[in-house]
Amino acid sequence: MSHRPALALHGGAGVLPQDRFPADLAEALQADLHRCLAEGWAVLDAGGPALDAVCACVAALEAIPWFNAGHGAVLNADGRVECDAAVMAGDGRCGAVAGIRSVRQPIHLARRLLEEPGLVFLAGAGAEAYARRERFEPVDESYFITPQRQAELAQARQLGTVSLDTAERFGTVGAVACDAQGRLAAATSTGGLTNKTPGRIGDSPVIGAGTYACDDSCAVSCTGIGEVFLRQVVAHDIAARLRYGGQSLPAAVETVVMEQLPPLGGEGGLIAVTPAGELVLAHNSPSLYRAWQRAGDPPRAAIF
Amino acid sequence: MSHRPALALHGGAGVLPQDRFPADLAEALQADLHRCLAEGWAVLDAGGPALDAVCACVAALEAIPWFNAGHGAVLNADGRVECDAAVMAGDGRCGAVAGIRSVRQPIHLARRLLEEPGLVFLAGAGAEAYARRERFEPVDESYFITPQRQAELAQARQLGTVSLDTAERFGTVGAVACDAQGRLAAATSTGGLTNKTPGRIGDSPVIGAGTYACDDSCAVSCTGIGEVFLRQVVAHDIAARLRYGGQSLPAAVETVVMEQLPPLGGEGGLIAVTPAGELVLAHNSPSLYRAWQRAGDPPRAAIF
């Protein structure tokens, strides 16, 4: 059976309303989203696996400083970088890392763990030692840090806030894909929250919370207030609504994102795809930086 | 509406078959299981909350050296202790810690996070710094380490294995409870796997994987090969089968533990409770060290 390839990515949930969003910034941002989408689409278009497509998108997003992942990740309360990432294939293989500050592309380290039969999730110094053993070239922490993130931390410290990304800096990144064989995959990468407690792990690297894929239902990548997404096990909850409740993907996402999360303070959004190549991108925040494409259709990007 | 209080605990999944299990050891073990159960039962019996009951059970189990949690936790490949723990109340509050080696009772630190509105999950040095700020008295890592665990690590290194607990040392600990108000809670604490990769996080501290509770469905605490439980998001999957699939708790647990996990290498088991006080304790491993009680019935303990 041939499936219709589909791919979506996000660059996080944004808080700035449309009427205050600079037009030139919106244009530059959408150009970057299109460019990162094209990296993953090239994989699917060549008949490649969903897993490679989502990793290609997320790696491209990690390299762009205004997204909060890899280069340009936000800073914790100690002024340090702690990157988290996870990737899951619809066959159940997955890998996740937390507290990374010496691996250029955290998603590649998560992918390496996905290939390890006996390991899924590594954190902190142990994860970085694993990276060295696996011959990931170490990068200095200064690679991740940008003047914008330093200024945001200074502001957050002054205000005493622990926040999602502000105005002109974008958020957590992620991608979901369905390939021509109907295989699914999801990947997410983040620097977490500005001024976060050191050692804090949000939903992004937690399989089932911020990242989940199963070929029987859907693949999901989330972004938003991680603690609420953790408590609700959001990504697996979407899949379970399809698998056990017979809900459609749009109905499941609508219920979770628009009804369940807001009263809990769960500002944010998610992207998801089914084995039929059905895509849903939803957010209860003012914006979700996103792009998507299905075979036969042109690529699209949107902010609000 | 009055609910029937119920409580269950586990001390991990064991690999030794019944005919090779020393009778005097079984007796001593069951006495300890009863003693830890009584700690939690006293809370429920006095009309206290399920959350306090599961924390009391797990704290008692952590203090006993032959269980793999707190004092007596297994050692990682560097010969170091890295304790993980999580606790969740059925109202959605939860807390989790990973990589702890200076807090006497890791479950108490997880509980402290549960009380924090803006935090859920902390790992490593950041988690320990948080513990210091919260005035948890630091303990030396030597508090956790026992000669038995050192001998097990030496053996594992010789054999090149990363293993569940062997013969006479027991496993991950956990508890689930339903109180007289029908409130649920689950808690889990572990040292992980002997000879594990430093920084490795298993299912125990991951909300949805090894630990989950929701008052609409059930509370679950797992034990076993953590990576498989992580991939299957086991604890939340059990709850989702009830919530969306209308399955009974016994049917859901039977399907997951006896049918779904074994072909994936998911040796282990779990304990679960519903708001009606229905208890299910199941394992696909040779044994599950366990004890349980329902209001009006005497306490019970079992191994096989």
Side-chain angles (χ1 to χ4, degrees), chain A residues 9 32-33 35-40 53-65 67 69 71 105 107-108 173:
Chain A
L9 63 76
D32 272 350
L33 293 170
R35 195 159 56 77
C36 296
L37 187 76
E39 295 278 334
V54 296
C55 288
C57 287
V58 168
L61 289 157
E62 282 178 344
I64 298 176
F67 297 109
H71 179 46
Q105 304 251 230
I107 196 65
H108 288 170
V173 308

Side-chain angles (χ1 to χ4, degrees), chain A residues 92 121 123 199 201 231 236-237 244, chain B residues 92 121 123 199 201 231 236-237 244:
Chain A
F121 195 3
I201 298 177
R231 290 186 189 110
H236 186 265
D237 191 56
Y244 304 124
Chain B
F121 195 3
I201 298 176
R231 290 187 190 110
H236 185 265
D237 191 56
Y244 304 123

Side-chain angles (χ1 to χ4, degrees), chain B residues 6-13 33 37 53-54 57-58 61 172-178 184-189 203 209-213 218-224 229 234-236 238-239 249-250 253 256-257 261 268-274 278-284 287-293 300 302:
Chain B
L7 177 67
L9 63 76
H10 68 80
L33 294 169
L37 187 76
V54 297
C57 287
V58 168
L61 288 157
T172 295
V173 308
V176 296
C178 171
L184 304 183
T188 313
S189 181
D203 64 312
T211 306
Y212 182 73
C218 59
V220 182
S221 171
C222 301
T223 176
F229 286 71
V234 167
H236 185 265
I238 298 285
L249 183 65
V253 172
V256 172
V257 174
L261 289 172
L270 61 82
I271 58 176
V273 66
T274 66
E278 180 176 31
L279 289 170
V280 174
L281 303 86
H283 56 105
N284 59 43
S287 65
L288 178 70
Y289 313 119
R290 61 199 187 275
W292 67 99
Q293 185 164 8
R300 299 278 309 276

Side-chain angles (χ1 to χ4, degrees), chain B residues 226-262:
Chain B
E227 278 69 17
V228 180
F229 286 71
L230 272 174
R231 290 187 190 110
Q232 297 292 306
V233 198
V234 167
H236 185 265
D237 191 56
I238 298 285
R241 286 169 179 270
L242 274 59
R243 185 185 299 145
Y244 304 123
Q247 298 181 22
S248 71
L249 183 65
V253 172
E254 172 79 13
T255 302
V256 172
V257 174
M258 305 313 284
E259 296 170 24
Q260 204 169 69
L261 289 172

Side-chain angles (χ1 to χ4, degrees), chain B:
Chain B
M1 187 165 94
S2 171
H3 292 254
R4 185 176 180 186
L7 177 67
L9 63 76
H10 68 80
V15 297
L16 205 63
Q18 188 159 8
D19 58 4
R20 287 170 49 206
F21 204 94
D24 57 339
L25 183 66
E27 202 173 314
L29 174 58
Q30 295 197 41
D32 273 349
L33 294 169
H34 271 293
R35 195 158 56 77
C36 296
L37 187 76
E39 296 278 334
W41 190 255
V43 174
L44 295 183
D45 205 39
L51 180 59
D52 291 352
V54 297
C55 289
C57 287
V58 168
L61 288 157
E62 282 179 342
I64 298 177
W66 59 17
F67 297 109
N68 173 19
H71 179 45
V74 301
L75 303 176
N76 73 14
D78 291 342
R80 304 290 302 270
V81 168
E82 293 183 302
C83 290
D84 304 338
V87 57
M88 186 164 193
D91 61 8
R93 290 177 301 149
C94 52
V97 293
I100 301 300
R101 54 172 63 119
S102 73
V103 176
R104 186 179 294 262
Q105 304 250 229
I107 196 67
H108 288 171
L109 188 57
R111 172 68 187 267
R112 186 67 57 96
L113 282 166
L114 176 146
E115 310 284 356
E116 285 270 6
L119 274 175
V120 167
F121 195 3
L122 288 181
E128 306 215 297
Y130 170 82
R132 297 295 91 78
R133 291 194 299 275
E134 292 291 313
R135 307 203 179 285
F136 280 76
E137 194 194 342
V139 293
D140 191 82
E141 189 172 345
S142 61
Y143 162 74
F144 299 97
I145 301 178
T146 63
Q148 287 83 354
R149 298 306 189 190
Q150 291 174 313
E152 285 171 19
L153 177 61
Q155 190 186 26
R157 282 173 167 164
Q158 207 163 24
L159 299 170
T161 56
V162 178
S163 60
L164 273 184
D165 307 303
T166 47
E168 304 191 7
R169 252 60 60 184
F170 310 105
T172 295
V173 308
V176 296
C178 171
D179 64 28
Q181 280 77 56
R183 294 172 299 193
L184 304 183
T188 313
S189 181
T190 190
L193 303 177
T194 298
N195 202 25
K196 68 183 178 182
T197 301
R200 177 256 188 193
I201 298 176
D203 64 312
S204 302
V206 173
I207 298 301
T211 306
Y212 182 73
C214 186
D215 288 341
D216 75 356
S217 50
C218 59
V220 182
S221 171
C222 301
T223 176
I225 302 291
E227 278 69 17
V228 180
F229 286 71
L230 272 174
R231 290 187 190 110
Q232 297 292 306
V233 198
V234 167
H236 185 265
D237 191 56
I238 298 285
R241 286 169 179 270
L242 274 59
R243 185 185 299 145
Y244 304 123
Q247 298 181 22
S248 71
L249 183 65
V253 172
E254 172 79 13
T255 302
V256 172
V257 174
M258 305 313 284
E259 296 170 24
Q260 204 169 69
L261 289 172
L264 303 170
E267 186 170 24
L270 61 82
I271 58 176
V273 66
T274 66
E278 180 176 31
L279 289 170
V280 174
L281 303 86
H283 56 105
N284 59 43
S285 45
S287 65
L288 178 70
Y289 313 119
R290 61 199 187 275
W292 67 99
Q293 185 164 8
R294 300 181 74 195
D297 291 342
R300 299 278 309 276
I303 296 179
F304 299 98

Side-chain angles (χ1 to χ4, degrees), chain A residues 35-52:
Chain A
R35 195 159 56 77
C36 296
L37 187 76
E39 295 278 334
W41 191 255
V43 174
L44 295 182
D45 205 41
L51 180 58
D52 291 352

